Amino acid sequence: MIRLGPRGMDFYNMSLNDPMTTAYLDAATAAPLHPVAHQAFEAATAEGWADPGKLYRHGRTARQLLDAARQTIADAVGARADEVLFTGNGTQAVHAGILGALSTGARSGRTLVHSAVEHSSVLYAAQWHGDRGGHCETSVVDRLGRIQVDQLSRQLSENDCGLVAVQSANHEVGTIQPIRDVVAACGKVPLLVDAAQSLGRVDVPSGWSILTGSARKWGGPSGVGVLVIRKGTRWRTPWPHTHELDPGGSLHLPSVVAAAASLRAVMADRDRENARLHALTRRIREQTARIPYVDVVGDPHDRLPHIVTFSYPFEDGEPLLVALDAEGFSVSAGSACTSATLRPSHVLEEMGILSHGNIRVSLHHGTTEADVDGFVEALPRVVARLREEAGVADL
């Protein structure tokens, strides 16, 4: 719980395992802050509060911290430090990447091609581009959520394409996209890869032109997005005026430092943690698949280690979300991008899966076996009760 102390509200005393709260299973939206992020944030707050663009001592200290953070991100994605920009969040990074690539003039083409299961930030950027005279093409996916590269190749051959946008792994069902094949299909057409769910978990194959990420997905603080633009990529800022290192707003340097430090820590422990999470999500998939008429979706093998999604037929996901919350489990229902409104998932619709009700469970470094055991024990009981109340228990 949050406690008041002599220095005000101590948010670091919040406990996600407090018995008055729940087991938090929505890390794909925002993972709990990694312990290393706490430490780095406090240290950077003490030393990195000045403007890194100034030449006096405090500014130089801040600049050193910023440069170190950029180098850490660059090392994580296989880029150069001077190719890394920080934004206010992952959505802003996607918008800056897409609109900046498409605003470089007619020479680079005006068509944006994106997969049908992209994050809403890509879809909104596409709509914005289309409303201003640009052309957009949607590339279909199969039932596992994987882009059909053959169709993508045809679309690229038939259009004056300025940019392709394909996520490295799907944010709702966890399916990993065949980025190497997408790179080959793109040829000289720039490729933007939204790696929000992948960074810190799995490597993104090389060959992309622009890469985006969000720190809160890997256990960094909210309010930090990553935009990496390869040298030689045609891109210019879509904002009217901006600092070279910060499209769209002023940097909060302690958060940037905490984001970089937590990513380095997560990657150092990645293999062990991925194996642990794969085992836990495998247990959830196996137990959930035993519930009649519940469809566990996404690729069962080539997937992210921490995400499980299942389609819950007969009614929308809100009653199940509320019932699971009452049992002590926080999960995501509806579209992962628009869960506040519980709109049907465009991702599941494009995969050809019943999307009236769906639940996404996503784990993090603090998720325990006891959390998963409790969830898989509660889920069939809750589903059975809701079906009985809805009059569909005998289906």
Side-chain angles (χ1 to χ4, degrees):
M1 57 188 298
I2 300 175
R3 298 180 177 87
L4 294 177
R7 292 186 297 173
M9 300 181 72
D10 184 4
F11 290 95
Y12 300 118
N13 286 331
M14 292 181 68
S15 173
L16 293 172
N17 298 314
D18 191 302
M20 297 301 292
T21 62
T22 60
Y24 180 75
L25 304 177
D26 192 21
T29 295
L33 204 61
H34 194 282
V36 169
H38 286 304
Q39 301 166 7
F41 185 92
E42 291 180 346
T45 299
E47 298 292 335
W49 47 266
D51 185 344
K54 301 298 184 181
L55 296 179
Y56 44 69
R57 180 173 59 85
H58 296 95
R60 294 197 305 272
T61 298
R63 180 57 187 241
Q64 289 173 346
L65 290 171
L66 176 59
D67 288 346
R70 295 174 75 198
Q71 186 63 60
T72 296
I73 300 297
D75 291 343
V77 301
R80 294 170 23 170
D82 59 357
E83 295 173 332
V84 176
L85 303 175
F86 292 104
T87 67
N89 51 53
T91 292
Q92 189 183 77
V94 167
H95 288 171
I98 291 177
L99 301 180
L102 293 171
S103 66
T104 58
R107 286 183 60 190
S108 59
R110 290 287 291 164
T111 297
L112 167 66
V113 179
H114 61 83
S115 88
V117 294
E118 294 301 303
H119 187 269
S120 60
S121 58
V122 173
L123 304 186
Y124 287 135
Q127 180 179 345
W128 192 96
H129 178 61
D131 289 345
R132 285 152 182 80
H135 180 61
C136 299
E137 290 275 337
T138 300
S139 197
V140 300
V141 298
D142 62 19
R143 191 171 175 81
L144 296 179
R146 184 174 294 107
I147 190 170
Q148 300 297 280
V149 179
D150 289 346
Q151 191 212 31
L152 173 64
S153 297
R154 289 195 298 271
Q155 289 172 307
L156 294 179
S157 67
E158 296 170 358
N159 292 277
D160 181 23
C161 187
L163 183 69
V164 174
V166 178
Q167 58 195 182
S168 56
N170 187 259
H171 54 291
E172 287 196 32
V173 302
T175 296
I176 294 176
Q177 296 289 5
I179 295 299
R180 288 187 177 86
D181 294 337
V182 172
V183 168
C186 287
K188 295 183 178 180
V189 177
L191 170 65
L192 180 144
V193 173
D194 173 12
Q197 293 296 340
S198 297
L199 287 179
R201 301 186 187 279
V202 297
D203 290 330
V204 178
S206 61
W208 47 266
S209 304
I210 302 172
L211 181 139
T212 64
S214 174
R216 69 176 187 162
K217 309 296 185 181
W218 68 67
S222 296
V224 179
V226 172
L227 173 62
V228 187
I229 306 171
R230 292 286 195 193
K231 293 297 181 183
T233 300
R234 290 184 176 274
W235 184 90
R236 69 183 179 195
T237 176
W239 316 124
H241 175 73
T242 181
H243 191 283
E244 173 197 3
L245 302 177
D246 179 30
S250 58
L251 288 169
H252 185 249
L253 186 55
S255 293
V256 168
V257 172
S262 57
L263 180 58
R264 181 172 54 211
V266 166
M267 292 193 67
D269 194 36
R270 183 175 62 175
D271 292 345
R272 184 197 65 82
E273 182 66 359
N274 280 357
R276 186 182 77 88
L277 293 182
H278 267 302
L280 293 178
T281 53
R282 188 181 308 115
R283 174 162 166 72
I284 296 173
R285 292 180 66 92
E286 291 171 351
Q287 295 299 316
T288 303
R290 296 178 180 178
I291 303 175
Y293 304 105
V294 170
D295 187 10
V296 183
V297 301
D299 195 304
H301 306 294
D302 197 11
R303 61 183 177 87
L304 292 173
H306 66 302
I307 294 178
V308 177
T309 298
F310 55 91
S311 177
Y312 173 65
F314 311 124
E315 60 179 302
D316 64 41
E318 182 176 7
L320 184 54
L321 181 150
V322 173
L324 287 171
D325 185 52
E327 292 278 340
F329 303 99
S330 293
V331 298
S332 179
S335 170
C337 322
T338 55
S339 56
T341 59
L342 292 174
R343 290 167 49 190
S345 165
H346 74 278
V347 171
L348 267 62
E349 287 181 340
E350 295 292 344
M351 291 167 60
I353 293 172
L354 179 65
S355 63
H356 191 51
N358 58 285
I359 295 291
R360 182 186 67 182
V361 180
S362 48
L363 315 183
H364 53 87
H365 65 270
T367 303
T368 65
E369 289 188 25
D371 292 333
V372 171
D373 289 342
F375 178 79
V376 297
E377 185 278 327
L379 181 62
R381 171 167 41 83
V382 170
V383 168
R385 185 178 78 243
L386 291 177
R387 286 179 174 174
E388 182 177 2
E389 293 172 356
V392 296
D394 295 331
L395 288 177

